[in-house]
Amino acid sequence: MSAIAPDAEIQRAVQVLRAGALVAFPTETVYGLGADASNAAAVRRIFEVKGRPADHPLIVHLKGAQDLRLWSRDAPIAAQKLAERFWPGPLTLILMRAPGVIDEITGGQDTVGLRVPSHPVAQQLLQAFGGGIAAPSANRFGRISPTSAQHVREELGDAVELVLDGGACEVGIESTILDLSSGHPVLLRPGRIGAAEIELAIGVPVARPGAHAPRASGMLAAHYAPSAPMILAAAADLDRVVREQSLRVPVAVLARRARPSDSRATLWQGAATDAQGYAHDLYALLRLLDRSGCGVIVVELPPERPEWEAVRDRLMRAAAGSGGAVAGASGSLEADDAT
Ligand code: TXA
Ligand code: MG
C-alpha cells in the first residue's frame, strides 16, 4: 500500500492495457476498472466483468487537460475554466464527443464523460500509457464502489488481470459529474466538489437534472447498495428506530455520535462528524456493517446542508438499492429508474 507504484508495476499495467485486458487502479475518489478507451473489445470486457448494461456510458480518464480536445468537440469556455480550476481532481465533465470516440464508451450517446484524476498512481499510469483509460468504479453493477485494492479483489476476484494498490482513496465517493453538453451546466452527480464551488468558478448557475437528463447509472435510485436492508433515520429519530428494529433483528448502526449506554444495537459504528471525513470512510464502513451478519443497517441521516449533499445522495441510493427505507417517510424508497 503506497501512494506511488514501482515503475515495473506501471510498465506491466501499460502492457496489460495495450494487450486489451483490464487493470484496476486507484483514483482519489474510488478504484476504477480500466481499459484502453480506444479498444472496443477491451471496453466491452469492462461491461462483461461488471455485469453492467451496455448502454451505460463510461468516463474516459485523461493524463491532463490538454487531451480534452482529443476526446471532445465544441467544449464551452466553462469547460476550460473548470479544467484549470479542478483538474487533476474529482470532477467529471460531460461534453460533446469527438468523432473518433467509440460507441462502446458513450453508450451510443453523442456526449462523453472526461476526467483527469489526481491520485499519483492514476497519474503515473496515465502518463506511461499516454492514451485515454475508460474506467467505471471497479465494483459489480449496483454494488458499493471500492475504496481499497482489497475491496476490488473481493468484488472482482480473478476477473481483472491486475490490481494496482494505491492505498485507501482520499475522497471516498465518486466524482462530481457536470453536464456541459447543452447550453446550461447540469449537476448530474454531487461529489466532493460542490455546486457552489462550480458556480463560483464559471459564474453561471448550475441546474439539477430534469426528467430528460442524459442517462447516468449513478443516477439510478437503486445503486451503491449493501446487501442488508438499510434504514435512514434523522438524528432525532435514531434511538427510537434502533430500539424498534432491535426487537426484530440484530441491528448495526452508523452514526455521528457515540453509542448510548442503553442501546440494544448489536454493532454501533461511529462515523466522522465532518462531511469529507465521513465520505472518506463511508463505503468501507458500509462493507463492514454489511459483513457483520446484522438483519438491518440503521444509518443516521446527516443534515440537509450543501456540504452533506453528496453523502446524503449516496446514502439514499444505498438505502433504495437495499430495499430499505427512510424512517418517518411513508413506505419504502422507490427505485425510480432502476432498469
Ligand atoms: O469518481 C469516479 O467518477 C469514478 C472513478 C473511477 O473515476 N468512476 C465512476 O464511474 O464512478 P462509473 O461508471 O461508476 O460512474 C460514472 C457515471 C455513470 O453514472 C455514467 O452513466 C455517467 O457517469 N456517465 C458517463 N458518461 C456519461 C455521459 N456521456 N453522459 C451522462 N452520464 C455519463
Ligand atoms: Mg459506479
Side-chain angles (χ1 to χ4, degrees):
M1 282 221 314
S2 145
I4 305 266
D7 266 353
E9 185 97 355
I10 294 294
Q11 285 316 320
R12 197 172 140 231
V14 167
Q15 281 165 14
V16 170
L17 290 173
R18 294 220 168 106
L22 305 184
V23 174
F25 64 99
T27 82
E28 68 280 22
T29 57
V30 299
Y31 275 70
L33 178 61
D36 177 353
S38 52
N39 179 336
V43 173
R44 279 197 294 272
R45 182 137 162 71
I46 290 179
F47 289 88
E48 266 169 48
V49 166
K50 268 194 73 115
R52 170 158 156 160
D55 59 348
H56 285 236
L58 299 178
I59 296 171
V60 179
H61 297 70
L62 306 175
K63 62 181 180 298
Q66 72 275 14
D67 287 357
L68 194 140
R69 64 193 164 74
L70 303 176
W71 293 86
S72 66
R73 63 178 170 82
D74 306 332
I77 197 83
Q80 274 316 323
K81 286 187 186 163
L82 291 170
E84 270 167 36
R85 171 76 181 78
F86 295 112
W87 282 355
L91 176 67
T92 297
L93 299 178
I94 308 295
L95 297 165
M96 295 305 292
R97 68 166 166 178
V101 182
I102 57 179
D103 283 337
E104 280 79 0
I105 295 284
T106 66
Q109 304 189 59
D110 49 12
T111 56
V112 63
L114 302 175
R115 128 170 158 83
V116 177
S118 65
H119 192 292
V121 174
Q123 273 293 327
Q124 277 179 288
L125 179 65
L126 284 159
Q127 296 288 347
F129 181 64
I133 300 179
S137 51
N139 50 285
R140 296 204 186 265
F141 184 63
R143 310 288 312 160
I144 298 168
S145 294
T147 53
S148 75
Q150 179 59 28
H151 296 165
V152 177
R153 291 190 198 98
E154 286 165 16
E155 283 282 324
L156 302 177
D158 295 338
V160 49
E161 282 71 15
L162 180 63
V163 182
L164 293 176
D165 190 342
C169 300
E170 188 222 324
V171 177
I173 56 172
E174 305 79 358
S175 61
T176 304
I177 302 183
L178 187 73
D179 185 358
L180 290 175
S181 68
S182 68
H184 55 281
V186 181
L187 187 75
L188 296 184
R189 182 171 72 184
R192 160 79 75 94
I193 297 171
E197 279 181 277
I198 292 172
E199 288 173 345
L200 205 63
I202 58 179
V204 178
V206 168
R208 304 298 157 131
H212 303 291
R215 181 186 198 84
S217 71
M219 296 175 61
L220 302 184
H223 213 69
Y224 313 121
S227 44
M230 215 173 116
I231 298 176
L232 305 179
D237 299 331
L238 182 66
D239 291 333
R240 177 183 54 80
V241 173
V242 171
R243 207 165 39 242
E244 284 168 9
Q245 292 297 322
S246 300
L247 298 173
R248 260 184 354 105
V249 282
V251 176
V253 179
L254 181 65
R256 296 172 308 141
R257 60 174 162 83
R259 176 192 189 106
S261 55
D262 62 346
S263 176
R264 300 256 173 116
T266 308
L267 174 63
W268 186 288
Q269 176 63 52
T273 51
D274 69 295
Q276 292 193 359
Y278 192 108
H280 176 274
D281 300 336
L282 176 61
Y283 290 152
L285 292 181
L286 287 181
R287 280 173 195 271
L288 189 100
L289 296 173
D290 209 17
R291 272 201 311 266
S292 71
C294 62
V296 66
I297 300 172
V298 178
V299 179
E300 178 207 344
L301 196 55
E304 205 173 338
R305 284 208 299 266
E307 70 270 27
W308 288 99
E309 183 183 3
V311 161
R312 285 173 55 95
D313 169 83
R314 302 312 190 276
L315 288 175
M316 299 280 193
R317 291 172 202 285
S322 73
V326 179
S330 58
S332 59
L333 289 168
E334 290 297 328
D336 57 6
D337 185 25
T339 49

